[in-house]
Amino acid sequence: MNTPAPAEAIGVTVAHVSKRFTHAVKGEVHAARDVSLDVAPGEFLTLLGPSGCGKTTTLRMIAGFEMPDEGSIAFGGHDVTRLPANQRGIGFVFQNYALFPHLSVFDNVAYGLAVRGESGSEIGRAVGDVLALVGLAGYERQFPAQMSGGEQQRVALARAIVIHPRVLLFDEPLSNLDARLRVQMRDEIRALQKRLAITAIYVTHDQEEAMAVSDRIAVMNRGSIAEIGTAETLYHSPRSRFVAEFIGRANLVAAQVIAVRDGYVDVAALDRQLAIPRQGSALAAGTRCLLLLRPEAIVLGEPDATSGTLAGTVRTRTFLGEKIEYTIACAGVTLQVVRHSQGVTDAFAPGAAVGVQIARGAGTLVADASQGDSP
Amino acid sequence: MVVSAAARPGFGARWRAEPAFAVALTLLWLLLAFFILYPIVALVARVFIDQGQFTSATIVKVLTDRNQVAAFRNSLLLGTLVGVGGTVLGFGFAFAATRCRLPPTVVRLIDIAVLLPLVSPPFTTAIGYIFSFGARGLITYDLLGIRNVSVYGLTSTMTAETLTYFPIAYLTLRPMLAAIDSNIEGMALSLGASRWRVFRTVTLPLCTPGLANAFLLLFAASLADFATPLILAGNQFPVLPTQAYLQITGLFDLSGGAALSLVLLMPAFVVFIAQRFWVGRRFYVTVTGKGAGQAPFDSVSPIARVLLVAACVAVTLFIVYLYALLVYASLVRAFGANDTLTLEHYRAVFTEGLRVLFDTLIIAAFATPLGGLYGVVMGYLITRRRFVGRTAMEIVSMIHYALPGTIVGIAYLIAFNDPPIVLTGTAVILVACYVFRYGPTGIRTTMALLQQVDPSLEEASHSLGAGTGTTFRRITLPLVLPAFFAALGVMFIRSMTAISATIFLVSISWTLVTVRILENMTELRLGMAAAFSVIVVIIVFIVIGAIGQVLRLLRTPGSKPATGLLAA
Ligand SMILES: Nc1ncnc2c1ncn2[C@@H]1O[C@H](COP(=O)(O)OP(=O)(O)O)[C@@H](O)[C@H]1O
Ligand SMILES: [Mg+2]
């Protein structure tokens, strides 16, 4: 099968871009504030954040549908800030697919090629190839309204990639699909992007989806980029409380730095002194901060009065197949804990006393923005 | 968006960048000013200015005339009765069609019968009524043997108007009833409510805005109706539109007629405001999302179902009966007196009546494409473009559509009768009147269609490399094509059947079939009036069929049918 020949991948640079809207209800909205991004050639970057945080606005400025109030955007080093969308060489996949309802699948996919003035035989070949690539060979004569959501999604994808875009943009492309199809499609999108080696920018509010498809994730909050990094970095060592809570599930407990040692920071938390792996710049002794413990980093066992173990009480227990989720009351706070159900025989039923331990090397210190004395 | 509000260029830059857009906008504003605003201003000036001086004498004279006050009261009474009666009837039909699980063919037949009054000249029911209940009527004279009966008055006017206009209520209430998620009703039923209780506490309240809207539409239609009262109201029951007409054609009192039409404006304006600000705001309440087709359970008890269906069938048969009488009257030598079959009346139509028929068709042939184009261009500009004065343009374009025809007709008569611009006696005045009075249905359908077309379609085209021009040609235009053809249909039907405005504008050189039918009625050439009416109904039905065919051809597989657009 012929895949569309990968064009030379280019990087995308977004520099200090801002955008304000006058909203009918909310008044003046600062949809994007000083957003800067550096997307490497061939990279898959995701903009992740809660609804209304400015992801779509940022993406639409990259596409050329909106003009930034301030800042600049460059494709492969060339400034495109004022270039209209039809001259940027982008492929855009819309949330609602935006398939042309009066055109067949073939004509939908052929549209961008026809606009470029390619010959009929050339178009026929390219459309056939790309439809085969997305698994829709034989669908040429159908119309969008006759297709399922997943099929429409593939047509939208085919239409966007057949023109060999320099940058592929997605705005929540999977949000109208059911859960199972969503997982399948996100894997396909990811595989296709790697195969075609196209620079891709993807918008979603679903953190799991973001982690599954992205090389890097840019977490957005209220129009600004909160943090950029790989899924692992953002999960294990977020720098802000917002990112810690938005990606994965988080136990955040109040902590105070006692001393900074080689590779470790001693903190007071959960009525104990705990040694937390040291990451990046050290916090000065005495600083109040938050200790982030992911649910899988907390180990449950039989109650045990020895020094390393905390006493806790099971509040709830939820069996979810491959895992069991607990909430545990411990040292005045409620902790979320998860463990694999494989081989687990103990019940830890609600009301039972348990021993709580922190896994070795787990835990991250996060600045507590509310304290005002962040590192 | 292709046209982003934020990226609004300066006015001068816009003109240089898009000369076609600028020219179209200027041209449209000139037309609106000339054919919509100027006549209204001329009408008001005629009433309130006499020899350069402000005067209230003309309007005071009308408002203190007992006869005219009675006409005003009668108009309101008639409008209210027709509004209530027509809404009840329309709701009954809509409910039967959506809730009684009738076979599709039955629903289809009822639809066609109900469509008859809507697409016929507005006085056709009244003529049929005369044939049935008049002095020589089939029922009154032949069946009951009543002599010297008087058919004229409130009751017959009200009945004829209700039969003529209730289809409007039916067509607005039916989609609304169909859109109510029947699970809501099922839910209420499962909670233990009786069917009657469900109807009273769930279905009916959900329909309230639709009922109010239907009432207002019918009230306005009755208020503006001129032909039915002219035929059926008689001397004892004067109403405003006929009074205004008689004032002008009988007494040659143009100012008096203008003043009367202004009195008519008051209730029309109240209706307009009520619709826009009261009913309009409540509408979204009933839009519950997915429209479940037929009710999945028996939401009507068997007895109620039988009664309702029987009532609907009876009304339908009555309409068919009236039209059958019309056909019969066109085929006999003298209805009620000489029942010999003859084609004499049709021969008369195609000999001495041929010129009128041609006049009407020529005017329709010009008004139809012009009105369709006007509707689509305006609808596109208003929904998809941002420019200064956009809302004002929308409102101005709707004025003649919302006003009773009598006002528009008199306004045109006043505005274009004297220098500097004399258009009376020409075909231009008739064509212009139709374009600006009925073109707005095309604006409406185009706007409705474009509002369903997500702007992301145009953005998608843009992202694939197409410019604004290509996007308009290849994406937007094909998508509004159904609206264009629907607008053509409405324009043609109205050009063939309307009378209330254009009766003031016909002349020796250009006259209309509808006007000729009314003349025939007053000259008691009933057979010829009937033959003319039948011909008009046949022509209209052929054209509707053709447009429906085109709409079906335009429809892409899997998409929702675009029929129903014609009902606008
Ligand atoms: N065209 C617009 N006009 C007015 N406000 C807008 C417009 N587009 C977006 N906004 C506002 O900007 C903010 C960010 O919107 P958006 O970028 O769509 O967020 P997200 O995609 O992250 O959900 C929201 O508060 C939204 O209401
Ligand atoms: Mg969004």
Side-chain angles (χ1 to χ4, degrees):
Chain A
M1 183 169 44
N2 278 324
T3 56
E8 195 62 38
I10 57 160
V12 173
T13 315
V14 177
H16 307 291
V17 159
S18 293
K19 180 76 183 174
R20 285 186 192 80
F21 286 113
T22 316
H23 194 279
V25 181
K26 303 180 208 165
E28 176 95 335
V29 178
H30 213 144
R33 30 183 129 210
D34 197 21
V35 170
S36 293
L37 291 169
D38 225 327
V39 190
E43 187 182 21
F44 197 123
L45 180 109
T46 296
L47 298 175
L48 172 68
S51 171
C53 71
K55 309 178 293 290
T56 298
T57 303
T58 305
L59 194 73
R60 288 170 61 84
M61 287 190 289
I62 297 171
F65 297 143
E66 306 278 3
M67 294 295 150
D69 295 336
E70 287 151 41
S72 65
I73 296 167
F75 283 10
H78 297 284
D79 185 89
V80 296
T81 314
R82 299 284 148 202
L83 206 61
N86 57 342
Q87 292 166 30
R88 290 196 184 187
I90 51 159
F92 201 105
V93 180
F94 291 86
Q95 184 167 7
N96 62 357
Y97 316 140
L99 298 181
F100 306 130
H102 60 301
L103 300 182
S104 66
V105 167
F106 182 92
D107 289 332
N108 260 284
V109 178
Y111 188 88
L113 299 173
V115 165
R116 283 165 173 71
E118 304 214 1
S119 72
S121 58
E122 184 62 27
I123 292 176
R125 199 187 48 74
V127 172
D129 285 349
V130 81
L131 284 180
L133 186 65
V134 297
L136 284 182
Y139 280 66
E140 285 84 350
R141 311 224 70 79
Q142 296 216 16
F143 280 83
Q146 296 171 304
M147 311 179 87
S148 72
E151 289 165 348
Q152 293 186 20
Q153 169 71 77
R154 287 163 202 258
V155 178
L157 193 58
R159 187 178 67 176
I161 59 177
V162 75
I163 57 173
H164 301 307
R166 300 192 295 166
V167 180
L168 200 45
L169 305 171
F170 300 86
D171 188 3
E172 311 234 9
L174 306 181
S175 57
N176 290 334
L177 302 179
D178 63 54
R180 198 176 289 267
L181 202 52
R182 204 149 56 212
V183 171
Q184 186 193 336
M185 281 305 297
R186 78 184 186 207
D187 294 343
E188 288 185 22
I189 286 177
R190 171 65 175 169
L192 202 60
Q193 183 265 344
K194 280 294 154 228
R195 181 134 134 230
L196 303 176
I198 305 180
T199 311
I201 304 176
Y202 188 102
V203 160
T204 181
H205 65 267
D206 180 340
Q207 43 112 358
E208 190 184 307
E209 192 175 305
M211 289 198 262
V213 294
S214 319
D215 293 319
R216 280 192 307 157
I217 298 172
V219 182
M220 287 189 74
N221 185 22
R222 296 194 194 171
S224 307
I225 305 273
E227 205 170 325
I228 306 183
T230 62
E232 271 97 343
T233 317
L234 295 178
Y235 185 77
H236 289 303
S237 37
R239 288 200 304 273
S240 69
R241 174 174 192 157
F242 176 79
V243 176
E245 288 186 315
F246 196 78
I247 298 210
R249 294 199 297 150
N251 296 298
L252 285 163
V253 297
Q256 185 165 24
V257 178
I258 298 171
V260 182
R261 289 190 281 132
D262 248 12
Y264 282 92
V265 183
D266 288 322
V267 296
L270 295 169
D271 304 339
R272 286 285 193 289
Q273 179 172 333
L274 303 168
I276 303 300
R278 183 179 152 179
Q279 282 158 347
S281 59
L283 299 147
T287 313
R288 290 186 182 281
C289 57
L290 293 169
L291 171 60
L292 165 65
L293 295 168
R294 296 293 181 188
E296 67 279 5
I298 300 173
V299 183
L300 299 182
E302 293 304 321
D304 180 357
T306 57
S307 63
T309 308
L310 297 154
T313 312
V314 178
R315 281 267 170 75
T316 63
R317 174 181 188 273
T318 313
F319 180 75
L320 290 173
E322 87 267 23
K323 62 186 178 183
I324 306 174
E325 291 182 355
Y326 300 89
T327 53
I328 307 286
C330 173
V333 296
T334 303
L335 297 174
Q336 307 173 58
V337 180
V338 65
R339 53 193 327 226
H340 278 281
S341 51
Q342 173 66 30
V344 169
T345 48
D346 59 64
F348 291 147
V354 285
V356 177
Q357 281 186 308
I358 312 297
R360 279 179 69 88
T364 307
L365 294 180
V366 178
D368 187 355
S370 64
Q371 293 287 320
D373 53 359
S374 51
Chain B
M1 245 189 273
V2 181
V3 198
S4 159
R8 181 190 296 182
F11 215 66
R14 183 73 165 271
W15 280 63
R16 257 170 279 123
E18 291 186 277
F21 173 69
V23 168
L25 208 58
T26 316
L27 197 65
L28 279 171
W29 265 122
L30 286 176
L31 288 172
L32 293 178
F34 189 65
F35 285 110
I36 293 184
L37 294 176
Y38 167 60
I40 299 297
V41 171
L43 174 81
V44 175
R46 179 70 181 230
V47 175
F48 288 105
I49 296 177
D50 189 28
Q51 291 168 350
Q53 293 282 306
F54 172 83
T55 173
S56 56
T58 320
I59 195 91
V60 168
K61 186 157 157 265
V62 166
L63 291 175
T64 49
D65 184 330
R66 284 208 14 231
N67 233 351
Q68 315 295 27
V69 173
F72 184 55
R73 213 167 342 100
N74 288 345
S75 273
L76 293 185
L77 175 67
L78 182 64
T80 309
L81 291 174
V82 171
V84 172
T87 303
V88 170
L89 210 52
F91 183 78
F93 269 74
F95 195 80
T98 53
R99 294 292 193 280
C100 285
R101 302 215 223 170
L102 294 173
T105 41
V106 174
V107 176
R108 185 100 194 91
L109 286 178
I110 290 181
D111 276 356
I112 292 176
V114 159
L115 211 64
L116 269 175
L118 261 194
V119 300
S120 319
F123 44 74
T124 320
T125 320
I127 297 177
Y129 206 81
I130 293 271
F131 287 142
S132 183
F133 301 106
R136 286 286 179 140
L138 181 66
I139 290 184
T140 37
Y141 185 86
D142 295 326
L143 272 177
L144 303 178
I146 305 172
R147 301 295 178 258
N148 64 41
V149 66
S150 173
V151 65
Y152 306 103
L154 171 63
T155 317
S156 43
T157 312
M158 181 192 78
T159 312
E161 283 194 357
T162 305
L163 286 178
T164 304
Y165 295 120
F166 91 91
I168 299 176
Y170 170 64
L171 289 177
T172 57
L173 288 171
R174 193 179 147 176
M176 172 163 271
L177 270 170
I180 294 177
D181 188 348
S182 55
N183 287 338
I184 297 180
E185 288 165 341
M187 182 66 207
L189 210 59
S190 76
L191 291 172
S194 69
R195 290 193 185 98
W196 169 242
R197 196 188 169 93
V198 171
F199 176 78
R200 213 162 30 82
T201 58
V202 178
T203 317
L204 212 50
L206 282 174
C207 285
T208 310
L211 292 171
N213 186 46
F215 170 81
L216 291 174
L217 286 173
L218 295 188
F219 181 81
S222 164
L223 202 65
D225 190 4
F226 151 83
T228 309
L230 198 68
I231 293 175
L232 282 177
N235 298 334
Q236 301 306 311
F237 191 73
V239 293
L240 279 177
T242 47
Q243 287 300 100
Y245 174 69
L246 295 174
Q247 199 77 19
I248 290 174
T249 56
L251 303 174
F252 303 104
D253 176 8
L254 198 52
S255 305
L260 275 171
S261 76
L262 275 189
V263 176
L264 191 58
L265 184 63
M266 289 190 299
F269 188 70
V270 170
V271 167
F272 179 74
I273 295 294
Q275 245 183 327
R276 202 163 175 122
F277 296 100
W278 180 59
V279 179
R281 292 213 177 151
R282 263 149 246 261
F283 249 111
Y284 57 92
V285 181
T286 52
V287 179
T288 52
K290 54 182 161 213
Q294 282 275 351
F297 59 93
D298 285 319
S299 52
V300 191
S301 71
I303 296 174
R305 180 168 179 264
V306 168
L307 288 177
L308 184 61
V309 172
C312 290
V313 168
V315 172
T316 308
L317 287 180
F318 185 63
I319 293 172
V320 172
Y321 156 75
L322 289 182
Y323 276 78
L325 274 186
L326 197 72
V327 174
Y328 180 71
S330 76
L331 287 171
V332 296
R333 204 159 282 282
F335 184 87
N338 182 349
D339 286 344
T340 327
L341 286 180
T342 175
L343 286 176
E344 185 53 43
H345 304 306
Y346 286 97
R347 193 174 33 213
V349 165
F350 286 111
T351 52
E352 60 172 297
L354 198 59
R355 228 205 77 205
V356 186
L357 215 50
F358 270 136
D359 277 3
T360 312
L361 283 172
I362 289 171
I363 284 160
F366 277 99
T368 302
L370 288 176
L373 194 68
Y374 166 72
V376 167
V377 170
M378 283 287 280
Y380 168 74
L381 289 178
I382 291 170
T383 6
R384 278 299 199 260
R385 291 309 195 94
R386 301 279 163 275
F387 53 90
V388 180
R390 190 173 56 97
T391 314
M393 189 176 234
E394 186 196 346
I395 292 174
V396 169
S397 74
M398 291 292 160
I399 291 178
H400 283 193
Y401 178 66
L403 286 178
T406 309
I407 302 180
V408 178
I410 295 176
Y412 266 50
L413 188 59
I414 291 171
F416 301 121
N417 202 23
D418 299 315
I421 316 122
V422 183
L423 291 178
T424 43
T426 66
V428 175
I429 196 169
L430 291 165
V431 170
C433 181
Y434 283 141
V435 167
F436 292 98
R437 192 158 150 67
Y438 299 113
T441 56
I443 302 180
R444 286 269 168 100
T445 40
T446 306
M447 286 174 69
L449 214 58
L450 277 178
Q451 270 154 10
Q452 287 166 19
V453 175
D454 197 291
S456 67
L457 284 185
E458 281 147 352
E459 284 172 359
S461 164
H462 217 47
S463 78
L464 291 167
T468 318
T470 309
T471 302
F472 180 76
R473 210 157 22 83
R474 301 199 48 179
I475 305 300
T476 319
L477 206 55
L479 290 173
V480 297
L481 223 47
F484 176 67
F485 279 98
L488 289 187
V490 172
M491 282 306 301
F492 185 81
I493 296 170
R494 293 301 165 215
S495 307
M496 291 301 293
T497 60
I499 185 161
S500 59
T502 33
I503 194 164
F504 295 98
L505 308 175
V506 293
S507 56
I508 303 178
S509 359
W510 291 95
T511 188
L512 297 168
V513 171
T514 44
V515 178
R516 175 58 58 85
I517 296 174
L518 268 192
E519 284 167 12
N520 287 335
M521 285 302 288
T522 46
E523 293 160 6
L524 291 177
R525 299 180 68 182
L526 302 185
M528 187 146 173
F532 258 126
S533 304
V534 170
I535 297 282
V536 169
V537 171
I538 289 175
I539 293 177
V540 164
F541 257 78
I542 290 174
V543 170
I544 292 182
I547 302 252
Q549 196 58 39
V550 171
L551 288 180
R552 264 189 293 283
L553 286 179
L554 286 178
R555 191 181 146 197
T556 50
S559 65
K560 277 187 250 123
T563 48
L565 284 175
L566 268 182

